Amino acid sequence: MTQVIACIDGTEVSPAVCDYAVWASLRLDAPLEFLHVLDKSEYPTESNLSGNIGLGSREALLDELAALDERRGKLALEQGKLMLEAARQRAIEQGIDNPTRWQRHGDLVETLTELETDIRLLVLGKHEDHLSRHIGSRLENVVRTLHRPILITTAAFKEPQRVMLAFDGSATTRKGVEMIATSLLLRNLPCHLVMVGTASDENRAQLDWAQATLERAGFETTASLVDGEVERVLCDYRAEHGIDLLIMGAYGHSVIRRFLVGSTTTNVIRNASVPVLLLR
């Protein structure tokens, strides 16, 4: 059974990740699992320090260092277990029945790749220190690797009331429109369709199709075709219309693809003041 999987790491964004995952789980009527991956870079590994220690004290110091590493490893594991239990209790208090938890050693991307077929929605937190550590430092690799919808949260939870889809007429964003139309996640939320480009007949026809598709599914939809620089147009529109969830196709073959691929992917996630839902 596919489920909502929330990756938590004990940092300041974890409560928001938990709350957004609960919100998604309830709307999708899908099971919720909390995942903590104790990454190889975050816990001690065995090392040979014998060449750096004098002969007289080598054995004693090596034994002490080994014991210290073991204690650190056990402490990290115990801290993770407590964190997972706290997230589980938080979810139960918000109405989730029997949320599960899972802790493992390894690499975050490799772990999520193994779980990919079980993921209905992946929820990750964005750190405010420019994606420089923990989950944030590997977020772009996760986005590039997985082929599942990913919700990237901000540090504070706010229940989405108005959403915006960046639409460009590509196969990726057309599929995104169809996904939104059939998904329970965004049902009954006003949706703004924003296409960045010239006011050509082709662009207008594409935007009209997207609007009609969502309206047939019962969405209150506002469609706008705006000329300009993609990132600036989307950011300005979001601020002007009080959008609190941005939806984008993770990768495509158009101007939106150029907007997302490479360093711009990180820029979008870093600079967005609202959660970003990436569709695949």
Side-chain angles (χ1 to χ4, degrees):
M1 178 182 295
T2 57
Q3 56 195 329
V4 175
I5 293 184
C7 294
I8 56 175
D9 60 2
T11 57
E12 70 283 352
V13 301
S14 291
V17 170
C18 178
D19 292 345
Y20 275 108
V22 168
W23 170 79
S25 175
L26 290 172
R27 290 189 67 92
L28 292 170
D29 192 24
L32 173 59
E33 178 170 89
F34 293 105
L35 172 66
H36 174 233
V37 178
L38 197 58
D39 195 275
K40 299 171 185 176
S41 63
E42 297 177 31
Y43 63 88
T45 57
E46 293 184 4
S47 57
N48 184 0
L49 302 177
S50 59
N52 300 325
I53 300 176
L55 291 176
S57 57
R58 176 164 46 193
E59 291 185 3
L61 286 175
L62 284 176
D63 289 344
E64 187 174 343
L65 286 171
L68 179 60
D69 281 353
E70 183 178 359
R71 289 196 296 273
R72 285 174 175 168
K74 289 181 178 179
L75 180 60
L77 285 170
E78 187 60 30
Q79 183 182 31
K81 291 177 181 178
L82 292 173
M83 175 183 62
L84 286 169
E85 178 58 25
R88 180 176 177 275
Q89 291 300 323
R90 188 183 183 102
I92 290 173
E93 291 171 2
Q94 296 181 56
I96 299 294
D97 293 329
N98 194 33
T100 57
R101 55 193 172 173
W102 188 32
Q103 182 183 56
R104 65 174 290 176
H105 288 83
D107 177 80
L108 177 64
V109 177
E110 291 178 0
T111 299
L112 293 174
T113 301
E114 293 174 10
L115 295 173
E116 187 167 10
T117 57
D118 297 327
I119 298 175
R120 184 167 181 180
L121 175 69
L122 177 65
V123 185
L124 295 170
K126 180 187 76 171
H127 297 88
E128 299 303 324
D129 57 354
H130 302 292
L131 309 181
S132 63
R133 61 189 173 91
H134 300 292
I135 287 175
S137 66
R138 295 177 293 278
L139 194 150
E140 187 171 354
N141 287 334
V142 172
V143 171
R144 289 179 175 278
T145 302
L146 293 190
H147 293 80
R148 288 291 185 271
I150 301 174
L151 177 61
I152 302 168
T153 81
T154 49
F157 174 75
K158 178 184 178 183
E159 183 173 348
Q161 301 295 326
R162 189 177 294 107
V163 304
M164 179 178 81
L165 172 64
F167 179 76
D168 64 7
S170 67
T172 299
T173 54
R174 287 176 69 92
K175 181 180 178 181
V177 168
E178 293 168 344
M179 290 175 66
I180 293 170
T182 58
S183 175
L184 297 174
L185 182 64
L186 306 175
R187 186 63 51 84
N188 298 324
L189 295 180
C191 182
H192 289 246
L193 281 165
V194 181
M195 188 174 194
V196 182
T198 59
S200 65
D201 291 341
E202 180 181 359
N203 283 343
R204 175 52 63 184
Q206 294 276 15
L207 193 60
D208 288 346
W209 170 86
Q211 183 175 14
T213 300
L214 291 178
E215 288 180 344
R216 282 196 301 271
F219 281 84
E220 176 188 333
T221 308
T222 301
S224 300
L225 178 57
V226 185
D227 196 10
E229 191 274 323
V230 176
E231 184 171 0
R232 176 48 52 197
V233 167
L234 295 179
C235 290
D236 288 348
Y237 189 99
R238 184 210 63 75
E240 180 181 351
H241 293 85
I243 304 298
D244 42 27
L245 177 64
L246 173 61
I247 310 166
M248 309 187 80
Y251 294 99
H253 300 283
S254 63
V255 65
I256 294 294
R257 180 182 188 278
R258 294 193 295 274
F259 178 45
L260 284 169
V261 170
S263 61
T264 315
T265 302
T266 304
N267 291 338
V268 173
I269 297 168
R270 178 189 297 135
N271 295 327
S273 58
V274 298
V276 179
L277 176 61
L278 296 177
L279 302 178
R280 300 301 297 265

